[in-house]
Amino acid sequence: MSLARNSERSSRMTLQDITTDALVIGAGPAGLMAADALADAGYSVLVADQKPSVARKFLMAGKSGLNLTKAEPFDAFMAHYGPHADALRPMIERVRPEDVANWAQGLGQEVFTGSTGRVFPKVMKASPLLRAWLARLDGMGVTVNTRWRWTGWKDGAAVFDTPDGRVSVRAKAMVLAMGGASWRRLGSDGEWANTLNKKGIPKVSFGPSNVGLTVPWSPHMAKNFGSPIKNARFLAGDMENRGEAVISAKGLEGGGIYPLAPALRKGATLHIDLMPDVTEEAITKRLSKPRGKDSKSNALRKALRLDSAKLALLMEYARPLPDAPQDVAKLVKALPITNATLRPTDEAISTSGGIPFEAMNDGLMLTDMPGVFAAGEMLDWDAPTGGYLLTACFATGLWAGQHAARWIADQGSAAAF
């Protein structure tokens, strides 16, 4: 099945006014999961997305291997959501990591768990899973319309600019799942916030999350562009993460630093422990041995056996090297990257900020807009990559969809927006 199938079908439509049980705006993981839940409850569902094809960010993430979730003890899993863990817990309890794996397998996509606990489809791609999911939704009667850009509400209906002109949709419930404000070219432009603000819905300002750092390197670092920093510990504020990063022409990129975005957004300085498995005392002892005729930098290289990338970083930020071995050891264990700044929000994998949980009830319905629910990265929560981000998108989408279905069952008439 072509991913453009529903788009082609919608391009032949000439409807200007539509009525449906449920309207979902945004065809990413959260929106599709909400549509799945609503259709499973027996309701007619229309999904609208502004881009020419659906789930573009999902597909982009899958190009390097789609990390669906992470297999680890549930409390450890939830700890990665930081201050938002309590709000998300009841939703993720419904969609635990094992449930995500079972869901993918139910769509015919075998999964495997890597050595770090990360769960991937065996094909290491997002497109087969997405095709199977869209086929399931099509079989349930879900209509997916692409190139539909939502412009707000008028006379109790949601209004869209479409290839066939302006279309209004009247629904009994509406689920918003339009993403945050990163990767604008893939559809998450955050412009929905202005529309909701006109309705009195508050928004926490967007900020970059899971994003690299801009570092104004000195010229001698150019030969290290593309080099990985392996087996390091990255620290910022009260947060730390062990992993890898890459030295790029722009600065630093990689999973080692992405989880530290909450602390870096607050202005904390990034520190790198270049030798996480060796104590400061042991490093001091190595550096205290007589260096003979070696220069200070050569003696350091021989004593610590740092690879070229780590040695370059140390020289970039510690030169001139202190005379006292203990002072050098302190730098090796916590090298400050003092002039680094976060990359722009649009370059981030995800964003913090969005609709605060305080503006919604327990079912993710906007308290000031009965019948309107929200899910996914539109909500103000933050999570690292590694399966946490995607799992919460699935979980909030399912939760919003199920509660929207209950709303329809209880109300029985079209909502007025």
Side-chain angles (χ1 to χ4, degrees):
M1 182 188 73
S2 168
L3 299 185
R5 175 188 48 76
N6 284 308
S7 176
E8 293 168 358
R9 183 173 66 188
S10 69
S11 68
R12 296 192 294 270
M13 297 174 61
T14 58
L15 295 175
Q16 296 299 311
D17 195 19
I18 297 173
T19 299
T20 183
D21 290 330
L23 169 65
V24 177
I25 304 181
L32 293 179
M33 192 62 79
D36 201 318
L38 282 155
D40 191 53
Y43 296 112
S44 59
V45 184
L46 186 153
V47 179
D49 195 277
Q50 66 177 334
K51 288 298 182 180
S53 58
V54 305
R56 288 191 161 197
K57 193 171 179 181
F58 182 74
L59 289 170
M60 178 65 74
K63 284 190 174 182
S64 57
L66 184 65
N67 186 187
L68 290 169
T69 190
K70 188 172 183 181
E72 64 182 342
F74 189 69
D75 285 344
F77 187 89
M78 290 305 305
H80 289 273
Y81 296 98
H84 308 102
D86 288 344
L88 291 169
R89 180 176 286 271
M91 304 168 207
I92 297 178
E93 282 180 339
R94 294 275 189 92
V95 186
R96 290 172 175 250
E98 56 268 30
D99 297 320
V100 175
N102 291 336
W103 167 79
Q105 292 181 133
L107 289 172
Q109 303 303 304
E110 291 299 315
V111 301
F112 73 94
T113 303
S115 58
T116 62
R118 296 184 178 190
V119 179
F120 300 87
K122 284 190 174 179
V123 294
M124 294 295 286
K125 295 179 181 179
S127 52
L129 178 61
L130 180 59
R131 281 194 292 268
W133 197 3
L134 290 174
R136 167 184 160 83
L137 293 173
D138 186 60
M140 298 168 75
V142 174
T143 299
V144 180
N145 291 317
T146 54
R147 294 189 175 92
W148 280 37
R149 184 172 184 83
W150 179 54
T151 60
W153 291 279
K154 184 178 181 181
D155 299 329
V159 180
F160 297 86
D161 286 335
T162 81
D164 301 306
R166 181 155 288 196
V167 173
S168 65
V169 179
R170 193 173 300 276
K172 298 175 182 178
M174 182 174 178
V175 178
L176 307 176
M178 291 175 280
S182 64
W183 291 8
R184 173 179 292 264
R185 63 191 176 88
L186 300 181
S188 299
D189 55 26
E191 292 182 10
W192 52 263
N194 295 325
T195 302
L196 292 184
N197 186 253
K198 293 176 183 177
K199 292 286 188 177
I201 307 302
K203 182 206 77 172
V204 177
S205 297
F206 292 118
S209 185
N210 296 299
V211 67
L213 292 172
T214 296
V215 183
W217 303 118
S218 63
H220 89 273
M221 286 295 292
K223 64 188 177 200
N224 293 285
F225 293 166
S227 298
I229 306 167
K230 297 183 177 181
N231 189 28
R233 189 165 60 107
F234 300 88
L235 310 95
D238 60 355
M239 303 184 72
E240 65 175 77
N241 184 55
R242 187 158 173 170
E244 296 186 8
V246 175
I247 300 171
S248 72
K250 292 182 178 180
L252 291 170
E253 300 280 349
I257 59 175
Y258 291 165
L260 306 183
L264 294 168
R265 283 197 305 268
K266 295 177 181 178
T269 297
L270 176 69
H271 290 76
I272 306 177
D273 181 352
L274 300 173
M275 299 178 68
D277 297 319
V278 184
T279 66
E280 184 179 315
E281 292 75 17
I283 295 172
T284 300
K285 185 176 180 180
R286 292 188 193 182
L287 294 174
S288 297
K289 295 178 181 179
R291 69 172 189 256
K293 295 182 179 180
D294 284 333
S295 66
K296 190 184 296 185
S297 59
N298 277 338
L300 182 145
R301 176 179 56 80
K302 291 178 180 179
L304 302 185
R305 299 187 182 91
L306 294 175
D307 62 33
S308 58
K310 288 183 176 180
L311 188 61
L313 279 175
L314 188 60
M315 292 297 101
E316 180 81 351
Y317 285 98
R319 186 178 287 173
L321 292 172
D323 291 323
Q326 186 174 359
D327 291 339
V328 178
K330 288 182 182 297
L331 288 169
V332 171
K333 294 297 291 182
L335 184 69
I337 312 300
T338 53
N339 54 353
T341 56
L342 288 170
R343 297 293 302 162
T345 298
D346 191 50
E347 294 183 21
I349 293 174
S350 61
T351 51
S352 64
I355 303 172
F357 285 99
E358 293 78 13
M360 298 174 285
N361 68 9
D362 291 342
L364 297 183
M365 184 176 74
L366 303 179
T367 52
D368 290 341
M369 297 193 70
V372 180
F373 300 77
E377 286 190 58
M378 286 186 67
L379 310 184
D380 177 29
W381 56 275
D382 201 2
T385 56
Y388 309 104
L389 185 66
L390 192 51
T391 296
C393 286
F394 288 141
T396 56
L398 180 67
W399 188 267
Q402 289 176 336
H403 283 80
R406 293 177 190 174
W407 170 267
I408 295 172
D410 292 342
Q411 301 301 313
S413 60
F417 307 120

